[in-house]
Amino acid sequence: MHTAEAIDIAEQFRQTYGQSPAIIARAPGRVEFIGNHTDYNGGAVLGVAINRFVWVATAPNSAGRLRFASDQATHMVDLPGDPGTRFTGPEVWANYPLGVWRSFLDFNLPQPAGFDLLVTSDLPAGAGLSSSAALELATALAVHGLSNAAAIEPGQLAALGRHAENKYVGVPCGILDQGTCAFGRAGHLVHIDCRGPAFSRVPFPSSAHLWIFHTREKHALIDGLYAERHRECEEAAVSLGVRLLADLTPAQLLVAEGKLSSTHARRARHVVAEQARVQEAVAALQQDNLAAVGRLLTASHRSSQNFFENSTAALDRLVDLLESHPAVFGARLTGGGFGGAVLALTRDSFTAGDAAEIGRLQAEHQHRLPEVIHLHSADCAQVIWRG
Ligand code: ADP
Ligand code: MG
């Protein structure tokens, strides 16, 4: 039985390529639930796969060409084979499917010679919900499905997507995005110990609601600021005589903190406490204690605000507004920071009207309404159609 969404995409595929798709795969976006800048410090992070998706439909083509089309791109990219270079300009999005296809060789997986590919999506791109990982994983499953090879297991799928993004798109992302996309499950969060990486699932009550308030602001110096934080964390670890900051417990840091400059001490305090908060959140979720989880989310934000200094006035104000609402368990900036979005964990009783009112109060200061998205946990990347 094919779902309505698959039938709809199959029809779009026929209109684009004049043939039916052989495979359709679907991959979810994700939200960083808690664990801010813990990944490259050897710590853990909790992610959640969300009910917004990228779909990729494919079929072999006898011309041996690589054809990529998307509902978000004005025209098709049609290649006789590997161009050997990276796209720039309006075709830059094609680096994602092309990079996945190239990665098949690096991972010793069969690489189909020619295929037609169509991308559709209800996941906003560039909003911090990881449309890039969803595009990579849906592409990997759909294109791999054209070969009669054994299925790719989720750990390899996540590694392949990340490899494609690091090597062929040129974005030095960690494993959160692809790991959550590959391991997510409705009613669960994904716990990623970034050192392995090792993946596991933590139950997440279906009565819990997730809201994203996207400020639509992005710091102009964002890449430089990420690199600066990364370097400060490395320097702090060297001064403390550990390989990675997540090697330390909060008590150990307290004893050793005198070795650090005040800036390095603030960065280390954030990372070490945030790592502890991730583990406390897992314990609270196992006890179904959403009030405690919410307090940890807000504490995470205050730590980003005061110690890691990757928040902004707009993010802080959103958290202030959300924190004082009785139906909100907690709220925090999600993702790299320096702009972007706030995540709120709420009760059932928090309504779209409540979210709009918070947006309105925010706009009084920011002069811009945040984009509000109501989300639930969802299942991982998977094949949803075989023609
Ligand atoms: P995020 O992953 O947070 O959405 P990124 O900048 O990492 O932001 O990835 C966004 C990029 O992924 C887009 O600029 C585009 O190149 C590509 N992309 C995402 N969704 C689609 C889509 N439906 N069609 C074509 N390209 C897409
Ligand atoms: Mg991305």
Side-chain angles (χ1 to χ4, degrees), residues 273-291:
E274 184 76 353
Q275 169 66 8
R277 274 188 292 271
V278 173
Q279 307 316 330
E280 287 167 39
V282 170
L285 283 162
Q286 280 160 347
Q287 291 158 11
D288 219 354
N289 186 349
L290 286 182

Side-chain angles (χ1 to χ4, degrees), residues 30 96 125-134 136 165 171 173 177-178:
R30 67 95 191 94
Y96 292 90
L129 299 177
S130 197
S131 67
S132 59
E136 289 147 18
E165 184 150 343
V171 176
C173 60
D177 301 356
Q178 293 83 3

Side-chain angles (χ1 to χ4, degrees), residues 18-379:
Q19 65 164 335
S20 291
I23 309 278
I24 302 174
R26 184 187 83 170
R30 67 95 191 94
V31 170
E32 175 198 288
F33 188 75
I34 192 167
N36 197 241
H37 288 261
T38 46
D39 55 352
Y40 55 84
N41 287 298
V45 57
L46 281 172
V48 55
I50 53 172
N51 58 334
R52 294 289 194 106
F53 302 96
V54 170
W55 290 267
V56 171
T58 55
N61 73 54
S62 50
R65 301 189 72 89
L66 305 176
R67 295 197 183 108
F68 305 126
S70 164
D71 61 353
Q72 288 176 18
T74 48
H75 61 275
M76 187 188 293
V77 175
D78 184 352
L79 306 166
D82 193 336
T85 53
R86 214 178 263 168
F87 289 103
T88 54
E91 291 172 333
V92 72
W93 72 273
N95 290 322
Y96 292 90
L98 183 65
V100 167
W101 178 76
R102 285 173 170 168
S103 300
F104 283 177
L105 275 191
D106 302 340
F107 279 66
N108 286 317
L109 292 166
Q111 193 191 49
F115 56 91
D116 297 340
L117 182 147
L118 174 68
V119 184
T120 64
S121 172
D122 70 1
L123 180 60
L129 299 177
S130 197
S131 67
S132 59
L135 176 53
E136 289 147 18
L137 270 63
T139 299
L141 288 177
V143 176
H144 182 70
L146 299 175
S147 315
N148 277 330
I152 310 180
E153 54 87 22
Q156 190 180 30
L157 183 64
L160 187 137
R162 182 187 181 186
H163 176 85
E165 184 150 343
N166 291 166
K167 182 169 176 186
Y168 296 114
V169 182
V171 176
C173 60
I175 195 64
L176 167 68
D177 301 356
Q178 293 83 3
T180 307
C181 187
F183 285 88
R185 187 182 291 172
H188 293 78
L189 301 182
V190 181
H191 180 271
I192 305 177
D193 180 340
C194 299
R195 229 177 279 209
F199 306 92
S200 54
R201 296 188 188 92
V202 182
F204 185 64
S206 51
S207 58
H209 293 249
L210 299 167
W211 295 80
I212 287 288
F213 294 79
H214 195 260
T215 60
R216 308 174 211 247
E217 65 166 8
K218 193 172 178 179
H219 205 292
L221 301 172
I222 200 159
D223 291 340
L225 288 165
Y226 282 157
E228 184 181 282
R229 289 297 176 278
H230 201 143
R231 180 175 48 74
E232 288 165 348
C233 289
E234 278 173 2
E235 289 165 356
V238 168
S239 302
L240 292 162
V242 292
R243 204 170 67 76
L244 293 158
L245 284 180
D247 286 336
L248 293 169
T249 64
Q252 287 169 326
L253 178 63
L254 203 59
V255 173
E257 225 181 58
K259 296 177 188 162
L260 300 177
S261 73
S262 63
T263 299
H264 286 102
R266 287 198 302 281
R267 307 299 183 248
R269 228 178 278 162
H270 167 77
V271 171
V272 171
E274 184 76 353
Q275 169 66 8
R277 274 188 292 271
V278 173
Q279 307 316 330
E280 287 167 39
V282 170
L285 283 162
Q286 280 160 347
Q287 291 158 11
D288 219 354
N289 186 349
L290 286 182
V293 174
R295 283 194 293 275
L296 290 163
L297 296 185
T298 306
S300 165
H301 183 82
R302 298 305 174 202
S303 176
S304 293
Q305 178 180 354
N306 299 318
F307 298 136
F308 213 68
E309 293 169 282
N310 62 331
S311 189
T312 63
L315 294 169
D316 295 342
R317 179 166 167 81
L318 271 169
V319 171
D320 293 345
L321 290 167
L322 286 158
E323 192 185 15
S324 61
H325 194 287
V328 174
F329 289 116
R332 61 179 289 268
L333 72 83
T334 178
F338 309 110
V342 161
L343 164 71
L345 175 68
T346 76
R347 294 176 198 280
D348 242 348
S349 54
F350 188 82
T351 63
D354 293 329
E357 174 62 9
I358 284 177
R360 197 188 59 72
L361 291 169
Q362 172 76 2
E364 282 177 6
H365 284 251
Q366 209 202 343
H367 309 297
R368 211 169 1 173
L369 277 176
E371 183 182 0
V372 177
I373 311 175
H374 182 195
L375 298 166
H376 288 284
S377 60
D379 286 330

